[in-house]
Amino acid sequence: MAVIKNIRQETNYRFLNFFTLDAVNKAGNPKEYYVVSRARSIDELKMKTRVNKPDGVTIYSLYGEKRDKVVLVRQYRYPVDHFVYEFPSGIVDEGETYREAAVREMKEETGLVFRAMDVDPAYEMPRFQTVGMTDESCAMVFGFAEGIPTSAGEEEGEEIEVVIADREEVRRIMREEYMASVCAYQLSHFLADEDPFAFLKAL
């Protein structure tokens, strides 16, 4: 197993930082590895805390009286210079639970009121995203949204379009559009299952 000998913090930004690891690989050879993280210091890195605290939250929400539509956002993302379809999501603020963050982020990004379901905690556990380059993890919250969609709450640096999609539109999006992977995976349940949340009863 590799051994990390030293960590160097290369940047000091509010939302994202770059770290260089000086390590020895399993063959005993020196290796330099690069990590980006939401951590603001070396001591806050998950490799130091050994605590998988969620940095963000992703919200899978059904919409409508029949709960036959899903709430998505179509958001401009700089790394791909393109609009990407995603579930509403955001960073968990200091002193905030991820469920509180889900309610806040849904309101800010879509104008909708979100009500979380009670599910087995295993479904909401924070999971790692692109773990080859970052220690960021996000919790996923499932539930229902109501209200009139609006992007009025978005920040200046955001470009977000609220999308209330039925199954026909979801099929088109999955065939034609850029999508976040976790969103595409969960929407396969939305398309295939009469009750899109039936899988939440599996544990």
Side-chain angles (χ1 to χ4, degrees), residues 24-176:
V24 176
N25 66 21
K26 66 178 183 181
N29 297 318
K31 180 177 180 62
E32 204 170 64
Y33 201 90
Y34 310 105
V35 174
V36 292
S37 177
R38 298 288 186 188
R40 296 187 188 182
S41 70
I42 290 172
D43 288 340
E44 292 179 9
L45 288 166
K46 290 185 174 69
M47 68 180 73
K48 298 291 283 186
T49 66
R50 300 296 179 182
V51 176
N52 185 15
K53 180 181 176 182
D55 301 287
V57 63
T58 301
I59 310 148
Y60 180 6
S61 180
L62 301 181
Y63 182 87
E65 289 184 10
K66 298 181 180 179
R67 296 176 175 172
D68 57 351
K69 298 178 178 66
V70 63
V71 181
L72 304 174
V73 292
R74 179 177 177 267
Q75 183 166 193
Y76 176 79
R77 291 299 194 181
Y78 284 98
V80 292
D81 189 25
H82 208 283
F83 283 88
V84 178
Y85 281 81
E86 311 169 42
F87 288 132
S89 60
I91 295 173
V92 179
D93 289 341
E94 191 69 32
E96 183 179 52
T97 69
Y98 62 83
R99 281 189 159 214
E100 290 169 341
V103 173
R104 175 182 54 75
E105 288 288 351
M106 179 68 85
K107 189 68 176 178
E108 289 175 1
E109 291 194 351
T110 71
L112 301 174
V113 175
F114 176 70
R115 179 172 54 84
M117 296 172 60
D118 289 323
V119 300
D120 189 300
Y123 289 111
E124 294 184 343
M125 285 178 63
R127 308 294 185 183
F128 294 103
Q129 308 296 297
T130 309
V131 76
M133 62 178 283
T134 179
D135 67 352
E136 181 185 47
S137 66
C138 289
M140 176 165 274
V141 180
F142 305 85
F144 309 98
E146 59 184 22
I148 306 300
T150 175
S151 297
E154 74 178 38
E155 298 175 4
E156 179 183 333
E158 296 177 323
E159 293 182 55
I160 300 174
E161 175 189 345
V162 185
V163 178
I164 306 296
D166 59 15
R167 285 179 169 86
E168 181 178 352
E169 178 63 2
V170 167
R171 288 189 181 93
R172 184 200 69 77
I173 291 168
M174 292 189 70
R175 289 190 178 102
E176 300 176 8

Side-chain angles (χ1 to χ4, degrees), residues 1-6 8 20-34:
M1 180 175 166
V3 176
I4 298 168
K5 295 291 190 178
N6 186 52
R8 286 174 278 145
T20 301
L21 311 183
D22 297 313
V24 176
N25 66 21
K26 66 178 183 181
N29 297 318
K31 180 177 180 62
E32 204 170 64
Y33 201 90
Y34 310 105

